[in-house]
Amino acid sequence: MRKKFIAGNWKMYTTAAAAKALAEGVAKGVTGNAVTVAVCPPYPWLGLVADAVKGSGVAVGGQNCHHAAEGAYTGEVSPQMLLDAGCQYVIVGHSERRHGLGEPDRFLNLKAKAATAAGLKVIFCVGELLAEREAGLTEDVIWFQVAAGLNGLSADAVSKLVIAYEPVWAIGTGKVASPAQAQEVHAFIRKGFARQYGDAAAGALAILYGGSVKPDNAAEILRQPDVDGALVGGASLKVDSFLGIVRAAV
Ligand code: PEP
């Protein structure tokens, strides 16, 4: 049985005060350890959010990282810096970075390698554009992103990461993939992992769905056999809606 995992991606939202209140509210509301829960605030709030959730069942993640350990990379943050700030997780390859900021697959591959080597658990995002889905290219696009992104990672490194399937057309649009559409792609990813890394690794892999997940649609998506949780954007910015999704995962 894979444990469900709900991660909140706060993107470039929240003030310091709002981040603290949100983190405290989530920490207070997460009781027990039936579900793995993480929040991914903006970089400047990582320390204060890590303090706010300390001792609770809530983990902290970064929304991105650079692949270098250190160097002249203005505006970037290394995996070790995230660890030092209290992170256990890092999101790599979010569509807002792939498509919005043009981060190429080979760059995401370097990040995934560096972050796992440093000891972070990577939430590696993949997802097709609407035009790609309509052209019947969903599986080709997804597998290319997985294969290119994880190329060269050891089986041990792969066993520590999480995949997030986030159809780009469903992110922040209110258009959620149907449970059947999500299940189809998740099963495809798991089958590919079985081919590449073996049945045990594929069986242990957590595959999250992301794209307009809300408390009222979460339960049906999370009931799908290959959906192991959710990466939540908009609905993670309010304590009640995020906790509603966490409760739907129990
Ligand atoms: C996301 O940013 O990863 C996401 C899924 O956003 P939303 O839930 O707002 O669609």
Side-chain angles (χ1 to χ4, degrees):
M1 261 292 272
R2 294 179 294 271
K3 191 168 166 181
K4 292 276 196 275
F5 178 21
I6 307 295
N9 173 14
W10 296 1
K11 309 193 185 191
M12 200 172 75
Y13 292 107
T14 65
T15 60
K20 186 167 181 286
L22 180 53
E24 285 172 351
V26 170
K28 201 163 149 219
V30 172
T31 50
N33 64 355
V35 179
T36 304
V37 179
V39 293
C40 303
Y43 289 144
W45 317 147
L46 283 171
L48 74 87
V49 167
D51 283 346
V53 301
K54 208 180 207 147
S56 77
V58 179
V60 180
Q63 297 177 17
N64 180 41
C65 67
H66 195 273
H67 57 82
E70 62 177 2
Y73 300 108
T74 302
E76 293 290 339
V77 165
S78 73
Q80 188 59 50
M81 289 171 183
L82 293 181
L83 286 162
D84 288 352
C87 293
Q88 290 181 41
Y89 293 92
V90 62
I91 299 171
V92 172
H94 193 281
S95 70
E96 286 151 15
R97 301 202 65 90
R98 280 181 189 274
H99 299 293
L101 295 168
E103 291 192 357
D105 294 280
R106 65 178 166 72
F107 195 42
L108 301 177
N109 177 239
L110 293 174
K111 291 181 193 223
K113 278 184 184 149
T116 49
L120 285 164
K121 294 176 196 152
V122 170
I123 302 171
F124 192 80
C125 302
V126 297
E128 80 286 5
L129 299 166
L130 184 58
E132 291 166 339
R133 173 164 282 267
E134 287 175 347
L137 294 173
T138 299
E139 292 189 350
D140 292 343
V141 169
I142 298 301
W143 196 252
F144 180 83
Q145 291 176 347
V146 170
L150 307 188
N151 183 33
L153 263 81
S154 68
D156 182 52
V158 167
S159 75
K160 295 192 181 108
L161 60 79
V162 172
I163 297 286
Y165 168 56
E166 300 207 302
V168 181
W169 47 272
I171 297 179
T173 59
K175 278 188 209 151
V176 62
S178 71
Q181 283 174 320
Q183 168 57 25
E184 192 178 24
V185 177
H186 284 225
F188 169 76
I189 294 170
R190 199 176 306 284
K191 221 195 270 172
F193 260 71
R195 257 196 332 267
Q196 192 92 13
Y197 303 105
D199 287 343
L205 177 71
I207 309 175
L208 315 185
Y209 169 78
S212 299
V213 176
K214 307 275 181 274
D216 60 356
N217 62 24
E220 210 187 338
I221 294 170
L222 293 168
R223 242 195 321 269
Q224 303 306 305
D226 287 293
V227 176
D228 304 311
L231 180 54
V232 184
S236 70
L237 292 168
K238 293 258 178 329
V239 173
D240 286 352
S241 57
F242 188 61
L243 291 178
I245 295 169
V246 172
R247 277 193 292 273
V250 177

